[in-house]
Amino acid sequence: MYETERKHVLGVLEDLKSWEVLNPAGGAVSLRLPDGNILISCTRLAFNRWDASVRDFIVLAPDGQIVEQTAGLGASGTPMHLDLYRMLPRAGAIVHTHAPYTLAFASLGLPIPSVTNRADTFGEIPCLHANDSTVKADFIADPVPLDLPQGMVQRPDVAAVTLLYYRPQLEKLIAPRAEEMQRHGLAFTLYRHGAFTVGRQLEETADLMLRLEESARTAVLQATLTGGAVFPNPLYGTERLTLRGATTTPPVSSYLTGRVST
């Protein structure tokens, strides 16, 4: 089923690999199909270095029940994909990667600043927080019933992080922004985990991931030039910088040095 859509996703996966935002550290790509079902990459594809075929996807109903299984099950992040499609009616595709520069911000629990014009369309880019290892350990020691989608790898300790901690944050921070998707896609990161972009169709969603990684990379490079400060909009922000005395003018935002404890 859905051979055309499967080939479409394969082509985008190759692009994401060649652009060095999708790597064996993990990730997932999903697509909302014309009939409302969800096509999502199977677990372990990252470990196979994203050497994928048309069979390496699973088709799920919106509630996570299996429609067609030609290889493995959906990855442990499947509930988050399903939640995002439920919360964001205009969402057509989701890309999740462990791209290096976005992961650097996520590792510190920091939102990603928009330091390039290509990232301004996101609006806010928050970092959702959960103590992953503690949640898993607590769940293993004292498990609680969880309603896991049929079409995902059955790792309840891993799913607990999404269902018990990230789902409420998605409801609070992402779901209320559904109307923004009339104009642009959305993005967020997960603490110490990686990045998600949500767009109206697959090419847009992949491009959003590139924009996100570009802004994170530029912010890190800015910090190397300024001694730790990041300037979201130095020339036209609330504090303007001029060429005269630019090296001594306080930065518009000490984004890193002002937020990270030393």
Side-chain angles (χ1 to χ4, degrees):
M1 300 170 64
Y2 310 106
E3 184 173 0
T4 298
E5 288 83 357
R6 289 168 182 261
K7 290 179 178 178
H8 183 193
V9 178
L10 281 178
V12 172
L13 287 178
E14 288 300 317
D15 289 339
L16 292 170
K17 284 195 296 181
S18 68
W19 296 328
E20 298 183 348
V21 294
L22 190 64
N23 58 46
V29 175
S30 66
L31 180 70
R32 197 200 300 262
L33 297 161
D35 59 7
N37 289 329
I38 309 299
L39 180 73
I40 186 168
S41 55
C42 289
T43 188
R44 296 199 64 81
L45 257 184
F47 295 101
N48 294 335
R49 295 174 176 80
W50 294 98
D51 183 16
S53 74
V54 292
R55 301 182 62 84
D56 292 318
F57 302 92
I58 188 168
V59 182
L60 305 180
D63 63 358
Q65 295 297 302
I66 296 174
V67 175
E68 183 183 37
Q69 182 180 2
T70 54
L73 292 166
S76 58
T78 296
M80 185 166 289
H81 287 248
L82 298 177
D83 278 348
L84 288 167
Y85 286 119
R86 172 177 57 83
M87 296 174 189
L88 305 171
R90 291 181 176 83
I94 297 168
V95 172
H96 166 49
T97 76
H98 296 187
Y101 290 94
T102 53
L103 188 57
F105 278 88
S107 73
L108 295 171
L110 292 172
I112 295 174
S114 176
V115 297
T116 69
N117 64 345
R118 280 169 43 85
D120 286 343
T121 56
F122 284 116
E124 185 182 1
I125 306 167
C127 179
L128 310 188
H129 289 208
N131 192 338
D132 192 278
S133 57
T134 299
V135 172
K136 292 176 186 176
D138 290 347
F139 184 88
I140 292 171
D142 185 19
V144 298
L146 293 177
D147 184 17
L148 299 184
Q150 179 192 38
M152 65 168 283
V153 59
Q154 297 299 292
R155 288 284 308 279
D157 58 317
V158 177
V161 182
T162 294
L163 297 176
L164 301 179
Y165 287 85
Y166 283 133
R167 176 178 282 171
Q169 294 177 69
L170 289 174
E171 294 281 7
K172 179 180 179 180
L173 297 175
I174 302 300
R177 302 177 62 189
E179 289 305 308
E180 291 182 39
M181 293 201 65
Q182 294 185 72
R183 304 181 300 279
H184 58 77
L186 301 176
F188 60 91
T189 63
L190 303 181
Y191 177 54
R192 301 177 71 227
H193 187 150
F196 279 77
T197 55
V198 187
R200 291 161 291 190
Q201 44 88 11
L202 189 55
E203 277 74 15
E204 176 189 49
T205 311
D207 180 68
L208 292 173
M209 184 58 71
L210 294 173
R211 292 174 183 235
L212 187 67
E213 180 71 353
E214 178 183 69
S215 192
R217 181 181 68 244
T218 304
V220 170
L221 293 174
Q222 279 192 4
T224 67
L225 295 174
T226 64
V230 173
F231 299 70
N233 193 346
L235 299 183
Y236 300 100
T238 55
E239 297 181 40
R240 294 194 178 206
L241 295 180
T242 62
L243 292 177
R244 183 187 298 274
T247 56
T248 58
T249 303
V252 172
S253 173
S254 295
Y255 196 86
L256 299 182
T257 55
R259 295 181 62 118
V260 182
S261 301
T262 57

